[in-house]
Amino acid sequence: MSTLREEIRQGRPFASLEQEAHLSLLRTAAMLDHAMAEALRPHGITPTQYNVLRILRGAGPGGLCRNEVRERMVARVPDATRLLDRMEAAGLIRRERGEEDRRFVTTRISEAGLRLLEELDEPVQALHRAHFGGLDDVELRTLIGLLERIRAAL
């Protein structure tokens, strides 16, 4: 196991423990995101699109408006409308304008989107197990709690 300093070939010590923790968290997140992107690539979707599909599956048949989808996303995107446009063009979601208020658009996962998620459920769980399998339940709960505290401070 290498240290962050070795991985990024930094000769000098970090300016602070906080800086090292910050960079270590960013490096780890980037590596996890890259691994997820590689796992999803053969299925023709990105981690962001996967996140949207999971959000919409969880929303059920009622669907969500664009802003609700954007607010629930793990990583914010600058243009949720374009993201949803691409997903609709790919047949993964469908959008419908409201009968009474044509400005209100409801987004729902399509049957193709549901089938894709069902196909991905086990491989993604296996990926998570591979990434976090070296930690026991107590360590995982500790990690989750520490990350929650950091987010709460933001």
Side-chain angles (χ1 to χ4, degrees):
M1 181 165 50
S2 62
T3 67
L4 179 62
R5 279 184 56 203
E6 292 167 342
E7 287 178 30
I8 64 175
R9 297 184 181 115
Q10 179 170 319
R12 295 185 350 211
F14 292 103
S16 66
L17 279 174
E18 292 84 1
Q19 180 188 49
E20 183 176 3
H22 177 83
L23 294 174
S24 185
L25 187 59
L26 290 179
R27 173 86 170 176
T28 304
M31 293 172 74
L32 289 169
D33 193 51
H34 178 74
M36 178 65 92
E38 289 300 309
L40 296 174
R41 187 180 323 279
H43 301 276
I45 63 170
T46 66
T48 301
Q49 291 169 327
Y50 176 75
N51 184 213
V52 169
L53 290 175
R54 289 193 37 128
I55 289 166
L56 291 173
R57 178 172 66 181
L64 298 169
C65 74
R66 180 201 64 217
N67 288 339
E68 290 172 312
V69 171
R70 189 181 66 221
E71 290 167 4
R72 294 179 186 201
M73 292 180 70
V74 172
R76 303 282 192 225
V77 293
D79 194 348
T81 301
R82 271 199 203 130
L83 171 65
L84 296 176
D85 287 345
R86 287 190 302 272
M87 294 180 73
E88 185 175 35
L92 298 172
I93 64 168
R94 64 183 197 287
R95 292 185 284 187
E96 298 168 7
R97 291 204 175 274
E99 295 282 328
E100 295 175 21
D101 184 351
R102 302 286 297 154
R103 295 172 296 175
F104 188 79
V105 179
T106 301
T107 305
R108 294 178 179 87
I109 190 168
S110 68
E111 287 300 319
L114 284 170
R115 282 193 306 273
L116 179 57
L117 277 185
E118 287 172 13
E119 182 181 327
L120 287 169
D121 281 341
E122 179 49 38
V124 168
Q125 284 300 319
L127 188 65
H128 294 324
R129 284 190 300 272
H131 291 158
F132 295 96
L135 303 176
D136 64 30
D137 287 356
V138 171
E139 291 169 320
L140 284 170
R141 282 186 177 75
T142 300
L143 175 62
I144 291 165
L146 291 170
L147 293 172
E148 287 172 351
R149 284 177 50 194
I150 293 167
R151 285 194 309 277
L154 299 174

